[in-house]
């Protein structure tokens, strides 16, 4: 499981000097992310995106009412961005997930261009799906 | 005399930018080109000095705007070597122009039992309009298959066209790979069988100056923004005999002769197809862009672009694991490629951090990607204002990509 906290992400990013170091760190985060297996990389789990492919799986809701997601991509940087997203969302309940604005976090990490630049990015669609799933579990 | 790309580059203020603290290296010209200062000035001048609706007013400003709008039509006609100025219809761009032809000329011809032939290289805008029309009429869409180089051979073309072919619509130059199609030969074959041909000139305009009479096509369409003019303006050239026979597509002001509630009669071309207030400022700026292009030494420009393609191909091939997609013998300066084990998204993002603008994705040509079994490529598309130094910057940028992802 990913035990990283958002605060740790901020600290690490701040300590890194330039974009290349930050990208290296992001790529490493992506490499540490457990890949989804072939059975999970289904069309149903695929989040449609123009450039990169993203697959997202929601685990069953825990007894405590928290949600956990696992996701994967064919692009390294996107995997790193996914690792950040999962750090942000996993282990939270639906209401907290819905109240979280990932834009703030990515802005602080200097990664917000990845959120806004390509509206057809699979990663952006993944964020929407996480929120959609949280909303669904919240109202179900 | 050589082509002074550095001097030409200085005419384009939009290239003189810093991106992420690095000098911009703009290699996304197949998506849109930058605009020379003379075009930007002209665009602004229209709004400052002659902002008035064209073809409407008796007042001075309207007359000035109308004169310049019609002068732009003459410029486009001259650039394309059209038989008459009235064969030029100003539209929003290539996409609208293909839709217009598909929904008027195409819809009447493409009855059940007939087919329209396109190539495997087409941009989505030269696929989907024909699908929409043939879905409605029951006609068939036939596709000329590509060879392993991403080329359309005359043999493959002749094998696809049959006795039921009622229309041919192909790209002049492929946006995704840069392949220059054998359009003159295609038109010759089509002419001998009396089949009308539309050429999608979105990429052709800036790289392979079209002469529509020499080509022998029936329609030629293009977008201004890909030939150093503003967005939202483009043109359709069509043979007058076709335009005259075509019904209107969009109804509105300017395209009519008389209107009563019982019915309307329609204006002659080109007005018939220019419903509503046209983008006259864009059209005038487009005229200026073509005049600018005409002021350059065309042969030297073609030689410069050929040098960029040869140099770029050679330099990219030095990179281990890099494979160029699209190796047709006749190509414009497009370098579409993949690198083993590195996703195009990653390549594009890391190049962007270094100020290098390329396109990554399927380039609105998903069937081309499917032909090569790829979801996406990275595409560096060059223009006359690019230099060998831009290619060197790309190669250095790709070395950083490889270093980061190895």
């Amino acid at each position: 499981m990913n035990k990283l906290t958002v605060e740790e992400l901020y600290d690490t990013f701040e300590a890194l000097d330039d974009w290349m170091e930050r990208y290296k760190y992001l790529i490493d985060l992506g490499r540490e992310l457990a890949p989804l297996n072939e059975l999970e990389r289904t069309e149903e789990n695929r989040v449609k995106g123009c450039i990169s492919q993203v697959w997202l799986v929601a685990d069953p809701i825990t007894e405590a009412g928290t949600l956990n997601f696992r996701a994967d991509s064919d692009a390294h940087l996107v995997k790193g961005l996914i690792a950040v997203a999962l750090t942000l969302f996993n282990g939270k309940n639906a209401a907290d997930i819905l109240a979280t604005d990932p834009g703030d976090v990515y802005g602080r990490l200097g990664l917000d261009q990845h959120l806004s630049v390509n509206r057809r990015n699979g990663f952006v669609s993944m964020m929407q799906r996480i929120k959609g799933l949280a909303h669904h579990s919240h109202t179900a | 005399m050589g082509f002074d790309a550095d001097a030409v580059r200085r005419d384009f203020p939009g290239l003189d930018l810093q991106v992420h603290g690095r000098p911009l290296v703009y290699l996304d010209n197949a998506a849109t080109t930058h605009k020379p200062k003379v075009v930007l000035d002209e665009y602004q001048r229209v709004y400052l000095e002659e902002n008035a609706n064209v073809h409407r007013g008796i007042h001075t400003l309207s007359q000035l705007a109308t004169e310049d709008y019609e002068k732009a039509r003459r410029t486009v006609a001259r650039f394309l070597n059209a038989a008459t100025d009235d064969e030029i219809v100003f539209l929003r761009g290539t996409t609208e122009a293909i839709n217009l032809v598909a929904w008027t000329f195409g819809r009447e011809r493409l009855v059940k039992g007939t087919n329209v032939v396109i190539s495997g290289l087409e941009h989505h805008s030269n696929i989907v309009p024909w699908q929409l029309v043939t879905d409605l009429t029951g006609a068939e869409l036939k596709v000329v298959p590509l060879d392993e180089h991403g080329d359309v051979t005359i043999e493959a073309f002749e094998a696809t066209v049959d006795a039921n072919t009622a229309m041919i619509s192909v790209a002049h130059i492929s946006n995704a790979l840069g392949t220059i199609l054998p359009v003159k030969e295609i038109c010759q074959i089509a002419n001998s069988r009396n089949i009308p041909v539309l050429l999608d000139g979105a990429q052709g305009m800036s790289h392979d100056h079209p002469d529509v009479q020499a080509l022998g096509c029936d329609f030629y369409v293009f977008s201004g923004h890909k030939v150093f003019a503003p967005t939202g303006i483009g043109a359709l050239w069509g043979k007058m005999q076709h335009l005259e026979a075509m019904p209107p597509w969009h109804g509105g002001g300017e395209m009519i002769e008389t209107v009563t509630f019982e019915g309307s009669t329609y204006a002659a071309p080109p007005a018939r197809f220019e419903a509503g207030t046209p983008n006259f400022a864009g059209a005038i700026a487009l005229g200026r862009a073509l005049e600018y292009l005409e002021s350059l030494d065309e042969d030297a420009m073609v030689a410069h672009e050929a040098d960029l393609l040869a140099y770029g191909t050679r330099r990219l091939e030095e990179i281990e694991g890099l494979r160029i997609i699209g190796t047709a013998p006749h190509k414009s300066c497009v370098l579409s490629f993949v690198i083993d084990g590195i996703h195009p998204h990653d390549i594009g993002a890391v190049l962007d951090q270094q100020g290098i603008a390329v396109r990554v994705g399927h380039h609105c040509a998903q069937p081309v990607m499917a032909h090569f079994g790829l979801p996406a490529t990275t595409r560096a598309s060059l223009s006359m204002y690019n230099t060998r130094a831009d290619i060197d910057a790309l190669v250095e940028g790709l070395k950083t990509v490889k270093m980061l992802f190895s």
Side-chain angles (χ1 to χ4, degrees):
Chain A
M1 275 315 293
N2 205 325
K3 293 204 182 67
L4 200 67
T5 67
V6 178
E7 289 309 317
E8 283 167 358
L9 278 176
Y10 286 148
D11 291 346
T12 309
F13 265 75
E14 238 162 73
L16 296 170
D17 285 338
D18 59 9
W19 70 269
M20 222 190 288
E21 293 300 317
R22 286 188 204 105
Y23 268 36
K24 272 185 193 162
Y25 178 60
L26 201 60
I27 293 160
D28 286 342
L29 284 179
R31 285 191 171 134
E32 287 163 20
L33 197 66
L36 294 183
N37 63 43
E38 280 306 310
L39 293 172
E40 290 170 320
R41 284 190 170 210
T42 61
E43 193 54 31
E44 196 175 286
N45 288 335
R46 193 164 78 86
V47 185
K48 294 211 165 41
C50 187
I51 298 172
S52 54
Q53 299 199 80
V54 173
W55 296 267
L56 176 76
V57 176
D59 288 335
I61 300 181
T62 62
E63 281 181 21
T66 58
L67 287 89
N68 283 288
F69 302 94
R70 289 175 295 120
D72 203 350
S73 172
D74 54 355
H76 289 293
L77 279 171
V78 175
K79 275 189 87 162
L81 294 166
I82 287 171
V84 173
L86 297 187
T87 304
L88 194 58
F89 290 119
N90 275 354
K92 284 187 175 174
N93 65 35
D96 285 343
I97 287 174
L98 290 171
T100 301
D101 178 5
D104 290 347
V105 178
Y106 285 88
R108 216 173 134 183
L109 294 172
L111 299 171
D112 43 344
Q113 53 171 317
H114 294 281
L115 294 182
S116 57
V117 162
N118 196 326
R119 67 191 152 88
R120 285 171 292 195
N121 195 326
F123 175 69
V124 178
S125 310
M126 183 194 78
M127 296 288 219
Q128 285 161 352
R129 194 183 275 197
I130 286 178
K131 290 226 168 183
L133 288 166
H135 182 73
H136 184 71
S137 76
H138 198 43
T139 52
Chain B
M1 105 183 208
F3 185 77
D4 190 350
D6 289 315
V8 169
R9 192 188 191 94
R10 285 193 289 276
D11 293 336
F12 290 78
L15 292 169
D16 190 22
L17 283 179
Q18 300 270 315
V19 173
H20 298 299
R22 305 279 289 271
L24 169 67
V25 177
Y26 188 78
L27 302 175
D28 195 16
N29 294 286
T32 198
T33 56
H34 277 260
K35 327 299 174 198
K37 186 162 188 305
V38 288
V39 169
L40 300 173
D41 288 346
E42 181 71 347
Y43 199 42
Q44 191 179 35
R45 186 194 65 80
V46 175
Y47 285 118
L48 288 176
E49 296 179 9
E50 54 187 42
N51 180 50
N53 208 328
V54 292
H55 299 147
R56 303 286 205 298
I58 190 99
H59 60 79
T60 304
L61 291 189
S62 176
Q63 285 179 23
L64 288 172
T66 302
E67 275 168 28
D68 281 348
Y69 181 61
E70 293 306 322
K71 177 175 168 252
R73 198 187 304 279
R74 291 196 292 279
T75 305
V76 176
R78 181 180 71 233
F79 191 89
L80 295 175
N81 191 27
T84 73
D85 303 336
D86 288 342
E87 290 179 336
I88 304 299
V89 180
F90 282 120
L91 297 165
R92 280 187 293 158
T94 308
T95 298
E96 189 179 30
I98 295 174
N99 274 279
L100 188 156
V101 175
W103 284 107
T104 56
F105 188 82
R107 190 176 174 172
E108 290 188 334
R109 291 184 154 252
L110 294 170
V111 295
K112 199 170 169 59
T114 66
N115 63 64
V116 51
V117 169
I118 64 171
S119 86
L121 276 174
E122 302 311 318
H123 187 284
H124 295 164
S125 25
N126 197 25
I127 302 172
V128 182
W130 302 110
Q131 285 174 332
L132 290 170
V133 168
T134 54
D135 280 354
L136 196 78
T137 64
E140 192 191 348
L141 180 71
K142 292 188 79 175
V143 183
V144 184
L146 303 181
D147 71 8
E148 70 273 23
H149 301 288
D151 203 1
V152 175
T153 63
I154 284 299
E155 294 72 34
F157 175 74
E158 284 196 295
T160 309
V161 173
D162 62 27
N164 298 319
T165 301
M167 178 90 209
I168 293 162
S169 188
V170 293
H172 180 172
I173 297 179
S174 153
N175 73 309
L177 307 181
T179 307
I180 302 175
L181 280 78
V183 282
K184 194 163 182 177
E185 291 82 352
I186 286 174
C187 289
Q188 275 168 357
I189 294 165
N191 291 344
S192 71
R193 302 185 191 189
N194 234 348
I195 307 167
V197 183
L198 180 147
L199 295 180
D200 169 355
Q203 305 296 330
M205 277 295 277
S206 63
H207 299 292
D208 189 19
H209 191 159
D211 175 331
V212 292
Q213 297 194 63
L215 284 169
C217 55
D218 295 82
F219 299 97
Y220 195 92
V221 301
F222 70 94
S223 299
H225 75 96
K226 286 181 162 75
V227 59
F228 317 111
T231 54
I233 188 69
L236 156 73
W237 166 81
K239 277 185 181 161
M240 187 45 81
Q241 68 197 73
H242 296 323
L243 295 179
E244 278 175 340
M246 279 156 57
W249 183 41
H250 288 161
E254 195 64 33
M255 51 77 70
I256 46 82
E257 195 175 56
T258 62
V259 175
T260 69
F261 288 120
E262 286 68 44
S264 304
T265 56
Y266 306 111
R272 186 185 300 166
F273 306 106
E274 294 184 358
T277 297
N279 179 2
F280 60 91
I284 295 167
L286 168 60
R288 191 70 194 82
L290 297 182
E291 283 170 7
Y292 173 81
L293 207 46
E294 285 172 332
S295 76
L296 303 174
D297 181 338
E298 191 173 308
D299 291 341
M301 186 184 98
V302 168
H304 170 67
E305 291 194 3
D307 175 71
L308 288 178
L309 176 66
Y311 181 72
T313 304
R314 194 170 77 233
R315 290 296 321 269
L316 287 188
E317 281 175 343
E318 288 167 9
I319 297 172
E320 208 187 308
L322 185 147
R323 182 161 59 102
I324 291 177
I325 306 300
T327 48
H330 299 288
K331 262 184 77 171
S332 74
C333 42
V334 170
L335 296 158
S336 214
F337 61 88
V338 291
I339 299 180
D340 289 343
I342 309 179
H343 195 281
H345 183 284
D346 291 327
I347 296 172
V350 170
L351 289 178
D352 175 61
Q353 286 293 332
Q354 302 171 82
I356 303 165
V358 294
R359 172 91 181 258
V360 296
H362 54 58
H363 319 298
C364 295
Q366 287 180 6
V368 177
M369 297 294 114
H371 173 74
F372 289 99
L374 297 166
T377 68
T378 303
R379 181 190 70 188
S381 55
L382 289 87
S383 185
M384 60 182 185
Y385 44 59
N386 288 117
T387 62
R388 284 188 173 206
D390 293 329
I391 289 164
D392 293 339
L394 173 66
V395 170
E396 287 308 305
L398 289 172
K399 285 180 182 165
T400 303
V401 169
K402 289 205 68 171
M403 187 267 292
L404 270 171
F405 294 104
S406 62

